[in-house]
Amino acid sequence: RYADHLKTREAMFDKRADEAVAAFEGCDAVIVNKPGGAFYMTVMFHDGTLNNHQTLPIENPKVKARIEELVQNVSPDKRFVYYLMGATGIVVVPLTGFQCRHEGFRITLLETDHNKRSYIFRTLRQAIDQYLQS
């Protein structure tokens, strides 16, 4: 019975990983490898893609001011993560926070609501495109 539970769980995360990978198809700025059985996924920016001038629009002036304070003297992927959080409310973890030399972020595949998960992946992809064009 436990083995069946593990297979069901593995299949669930495999499907969610497919959804996440599909959201980044055609995004030449990032490298995404489908995770094998993990509940998180790493998205890595190509070297030189991020800089200290890119932003996302943040509607709330107090949030915008706070994010602009937080992004002073941080790694480019952390800057992206802060702007993403301020603009969309989506929270991801910067790769450099794991003592990684690559810039990018980790997302989880834990959201159980299909509509919310789709929204998160779609919004994340749109935010990357918008951030890189800023």
Side-chain angles (χ1 to χ4, degrees):
R1 221 160 135 95
Y2 183 70
D4 291 339
H5 170 73
L6 288 178
K7 284 182 184 179
T8 301
R9 185 177 167 158
E10 186 177 313
M12 175 185 66
F13 282 116
D14 189 55
K15 182 179 178 195
R16 291 180 188 177
D18 286 339
E19 291 173 18
V21 169
F24 294 98
E25 285 181 6
C27 185
D28 296 332
V30 298
I31 300 167
V32 177
N33 293 314
K34 180 182 171 187
F39 62 86
Y40 61 87
M41 185 175 87
T42 299
V43 177
M44 206 168 65
F45 289 97
H46 286 285
D47 290 342
T49 302
L50 300 178
N51 63 53
N52 291 324
H53 303 291
Q54 296 155 319
T55 63
L56 286 171
I58 300 173
E59 292 182 23
N60 183 314
K62 288 182 181 179
V63 172
K64 182 177 181 177
R66 181 65 179 136
I67 296 300
E68 290 176 349
E69 287 175 23
L70 292 171
V71 299
Q72 299 301 311
N73 302 313
V74 298
S75 62
D77 61 342
K78 196 173 212 179
R79 179 184 173 88
F80 169 75
V81 166
Y82 280 133
Y83 271 104
L84 177 71
M85 182 176 59
T88 69
I90 295 172
V91 178
V92 298
V93 181
L95 287 184
T96 55
F98 293 98
Q99 304 304 310
C100 179
R101 67 177 182 86
H102 300 289
E103 296 171 348
F105 56 90
R106 275 190 175 178
I107 59 174
T108 71
L109 305 174
L110 295 172
E111 177 57 59
T112 57
D113 182 283
H114 175 71
N115 291 330
K116 284 183 184 177
R117 200 171 52 252
S118 295
Y119 167 80
I120 291 167
F121 295 152
R122 183 176 59 253
T123 303
L124 185 53
R125 169 60 191 277
Q126 291 168 348
I128 289 172
D129 292 342
Q130 187 176 12
Y131 188 79
L132 296 178
Q133 293 172 5
S134 68

